[in-house]
Amino acid sequence: MSGPQCCANPPTLNPTAGGGHVENLGGLNAYVNGSPHSKLAVLLVSDVYDALNLRKLADKIAAAGFYVAVPDFLHGDPYVPNAGRTLQDWIKDHGTDKAFEEAKPVIQAIKSKGITAIGAAGFCWGAKVAVQLAKREFIQAAVLLHPSFVTVDDIKAVEVPTAVLGAEFDQISPPDLLKQFEEVLTAKSEVDGYVKIFPKVSHGWTVRYNVEDKSAVKCAEEAHQNMLEWFAKYVN
């Protein structure tokens, strides 16, 4: 499911942002940062806008000791509101199933660097990719942040510890759906799960927020910290 809320508050993209660098990873351009000697990695899958708006967060995760990769699954073609192409038309050209297939060689490329454990976090559109990757053959833990397109069946199929960080005001993954996710994860005794609904925030709040709004920054940083804690616990 997608809609106007999925595209609210588009970010300002700065292609030179970040303290890392861009390299080819499994056939995709990817922003990477973190120690090349780390055995632990985190893969970030962006929303519909671009991997660029995740660079600051990638740097924060790298500072915690992870090797971090932010592949450009959008192939340099992020969604641009009011540019003559509807979100629905854009999604036809940028299917999450295609991104899931493209993620497999990316993960292999990461593992070839000596990485022994990988976590994946997906934001909005990217959460669908992350939940598809939540199998033992690919990663060790997943975090889904204000997910789009994720279904109860997707959650039933996860095989690794999975956290869902959602918003109180989210037409795409409303609290009622998030509670269904929680029920499924709670029933899966073989897999640890966690669902948190952040009050007074809307879809996209973890990456598309006003940096001048102290309350918005605080909520986003709380979600970032929850994500880091999840990976610290299960990606080891």
Side-chain angles (χ1 to χ4, degrees), residues 199-234:
K200 301 179 182 179
V201 297
S202 300
H203 182 87
W205 94 96
T206 69
V207 286
R208 305 197 302 264
Y209 55 90
N210 180 358
V211 296
E212 304 297 327
D213 184 334
K214 291 183 179 180
S215 176
V217 170
K218 181 180 178 182
C219 287
E221 289 183 343
E222 181 181 343
H224 299 163
Q225 185 60 34
N226 290 161
M227 177 184 64
L228 264 176
E229 290 168 353
W230 194 256
F231 289 143
K233 184 175 182 180
Y234 294 107

Side-chain angles (χ1 to χ4, degrees), residues 84-118:
R85 180 169 53 165
T86 66
L87 177 63
Q88 285 69 28
D89 286 340
W90 181 90
I91 287 172
K92 290 177 184 177
D93 297 327
H94 299 82
T96 53
D97 287 346
K98 179 172 180 282
F100 167 57
E101 292 301 323
E102 291 176 335
K104 295 177 183 178
V106 171
I107 287 173
Q108 287 304 315
I110 292 173
K111 290 179 178 178
S112 74
K113 296 177 179 290
I115 299 293
T116 57
I118 302 174

